[in-house]
């Protein structure tokens, strides 16, 4: 998305690159969310599952609201490029976290 924002003379290339970046963000975020829900459901009693899913969703929405507020404050004085760079750093952190979790899961399954 950051690279696409610097392209000024070819709008089709700009939107294609930026769309590809957005798709990557979606592909990274969804498996992590599904894994966390699965992990939570496996480790709580049946009667507590509704409560844990509701709590997780509330936490996710509160976090999203805080991040949106933070980005809004950034956009008051800075450009959208800074927000995209911050999102890029957060994406890298999430990718590394997902890889670490995947390795831990694989290791745990091999030990069983």
């Amino acid at each position: 998305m950051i690279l696409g924002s610097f392209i000024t003379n070819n709008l089709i290339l700009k939107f294609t690159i930026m769309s590809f970046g957005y798709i990557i963000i979606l592909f990274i975020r969804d498996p992590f969310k599904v894994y966390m829900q699965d992990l939570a459901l496996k480790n709580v009693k049946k009667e507590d599952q509704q409560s844990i899913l509701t709590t997780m969703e509330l936490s996710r929405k509160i976090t999203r609201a805080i991040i949106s507020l933070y980005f809004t404050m950034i956009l008051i004085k800075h450009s959208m490029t800074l927000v995209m760079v911050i999102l890029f750093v957060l994406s890298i952190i999430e990718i590394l976290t997902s890889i670490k979790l995947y390795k831990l899961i694989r290791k745990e399954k091999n030990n069983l």
Side-chain angles (χ1 to χ4, degrees):
M1 289 175 55
I2 297 168
L3 293 174
S5 70
F6 291 117
I7 298 172
T8 57
N9 55 356
N10 189 343
L11 285 178
I12 293 173
L13 181 62
K14 177 179 186 147
F15 291 138
T16 302
I17 290 174
M18 291 181 82
S19 297
F20 184 67
Y22 185 72
I23 289 169
I24 289 172
I25 290 171
L26 293 177
F27 276 112
I28 291 169
R29 186 176 56 203
D30 288 342
F32 187 74
K33 178 182 173 185
V34 170
Y35 172 72
M36 293 306 290
Q37 286 177 342
D38 183 54
L39 187 65
L41 292 175
K42 285 181 181 177
N43 291 305
V44 297
K45 297 175 191 166
K46 183 90 171 159
E47 57 270 4
D48 295 333
Q49 287 181 350
Q50 176 92 25
S51 175
I52 194 75
L53 288 177
T54 304
T55 303
M56 286 177 66
E57 193 60 33
L58 177 64
S59 301
R60 208 174 279 122
K61 287 182 180 186
I62 290 171
T63 302
R64 193 175 303 139
I66 291 169
I67 289 173
S68 295
L69 180 64
Y70 180 67
F71 285 157
T72 301
M73 291 187 314
I74 289 173
L75 287 171
I76 290 172
K77 294 194 178 202
H78 301 285
S79 70
M80 183 67 167
T81 306
L82 180 60
V83 172
M84 289 190 296
V85 169
I86 293 170
L87 284 172
F88 176 72
V89 171
L90 291 174
S91 296
I92 296 298
I93 291 169
E94 189 165 356
I95 289 170
L96 295 174
T97 303
S98 296
I99 291 170
K100 176 90 170 160
L101 284 173
Y102 176 74
K103 286 179 180 179
L104 288 172
I105 292 167
R106 249 178 101 190
K107 182 179 170 184
E108 185 177 312
K109 285 185 178 182
N110 289 336
N111 289 337
L112 294 176

